[in-house]
Amino acid sequence: MTEVRFDGDVIIVTGAGGGLGRSYALDLARRGARVVVNDLGGSASGDGADASPAAEVVDMIKACGGEAVANFDTVATQEGGKAIVQAALDAWGRVDGVICNAGILRDRSFAKLDFDDAQAVVDVHLWGGINVSQPAFLAMKGNPNGGRIVLTTSASGLLGNFGQTAYGAAKMGLVGLMRSLRIEGERSGITVNALAPIAGTRLTNNVSDDPNAPKAPDRVAPIATLLVHRDCPANGDIFMAGAGWFSRCFIGLTEGWSVPGNVTAESLLANWDKVTDETGFTQPASVLEVSEILNRLLVAN
């Protein structure tokens, strides 16, 4: 097999001071990428700051002969996002890929939700993805080879999880960002995908120093690496990965039920099995495709 290399490419990884982000940064650097290692160095709940985690990862990369710079800005503000991307431009004059991985957790059941905590979670995850992706997107538009953006979603957003309403909402919001951004990026050669990793990190309270542990971050890194490589064919896709398992998630649309004339709640209930029947489902690529389906039904009826 041909080795996946990044020689000369500049990749930004946010939240790269530990866990998944560190695994991503180290794997990319081993493959020749020049890496911006971003990490505010705060706690798992987002409090405080510490420059040492990002600096240590940069030292690890340089000790192996790689190129990297540390950045300590927060992803939670527009100014921080711009500064993270500017760090890449200042060091190497370009941005070829971004993995938006930074995250915090402040879990609370919905009935007991603290809105300040919820805002902090949304700021880091959803707005963090926007704050970093927009300046990176603008930089990539000037690249002959475009660029690659990976947004970190979660099974909690895709499927739901008790106590994670704010986190899940932010993570599903990133899927919406990804689906629209990949349409806007196509003409410039910019691909955008979402990754839902399953790994033992400080956020999940089951950190392991063993790289071969079942849920070690290193076992997710291969797909993050591939998604920021210029030869990766994916665009607008959602992937779930963990423990050496890799899977594509998708949004499906049933064939549904339609009739000419008026529909009542009663007739809809009587045909509910047809509305929900998954036989022959489709995967619309955009809102435009859904509109085309509706237009065909209007003509047929």
Side-chain angles (χ1 to χ4, degrees), residues 40 42-48 74 76 103-110 112-125 161-168 170 202-205:
L40 176 66
S43 68
S45 61
D47 297 317
T74 178
I104 65 170
L105 281 182
R106 296 188 183 183
D107 291 350
R108 195 79 65 89
S109 67
F110 191 63
K112 299 178 180 178
L113 186 67
D114 181 289
F115 278 71
D116 288 337
D117 285 346
Q119 184 68 60
V121 168
V122 172
D123 283 348
V124 171
H125 290 279
N161 196 28
F162 184 89
Q164 293 194 319
T165 49
Y167 176 79
R202 64 177 186 154
L203 294 189
T204 55
N205 294 317

Side-chain angles (χ1 to χ4, degrees), residues 37-217:
V37 178
N38 160 262
D39 204 303
L40 176 66
S43 68
S45 61
D47 297 317
D50 182 359
S52 61
E56 288 173 5
V57 175
V58 168
D59 288 343
M60 293 171 67
I61 291 172
K62 289 183 175 180
C64 295
E67 294 184 67
V69 295
N71 174 273
F72 315 111
D73 288 287
T74 178
V75 302
T77 67
Q78 187 177 12
E79 294 74 21
K82 288 180 178 179
I84 293 167
V85 174
Q86 192 61 46
L89 297 175
D90 289 344
W92 298 295
R94 59 188 292 169
V95 178
D96 299 285
V98 175
I99 302 177
C100 293
N101 167 77
I104 65 170
L105 281 182
R106 296 188 183 183
D107 291 350
R108 195 79 65 89
S109 67
F110 191 63
K112 299 178 180 178
L113 186 67
D114 181 289
F115 278 71
D116 288 337
D117 285 346
Q119 184 68 60
V121 168
V122 172
D123 283 348
V124 171
H125 290 279
L126 179 54
W127 277 107
I130 295 171
N131 291 334
V132 177
S133 293
Q134 191 195 43
F137 184 84
L138 293 172
M140 290 174 183
K141 290 185 73 171
N143 284 359
N145 294 314
R148 283 76 57 195
I149 297 173
V150 179
L151 300 173
T152 302
T153 185
S154 169
S156 295
L158 297 168
L159 305 173
N161 196 28
F162 184 89
Q164 293 194 319
T165 49
Y167 176 79
K171 287 302 193 183
M172 199 57 181
L174 287 166
V175 173
L177 172 63
M178 178 272 289
R179 294 291 292 177
S180 293
L181 192 53
R182 60 98 190 178
I183 296 172
E184 295 191 21
E186 281 181 334
R187 68 177 64 183
S188 300
I190 300 171
T191 65
V192 192
N193 293 284
L195 173 60
I198 302 172
T201 69
R202 64 177 186 154
L203 294 189
T204 55
N205 294 317
N206 56 349
V207 179
S208 173
D209 293 328
D210 180 3
N212 297 313
K215 290 187 179 180

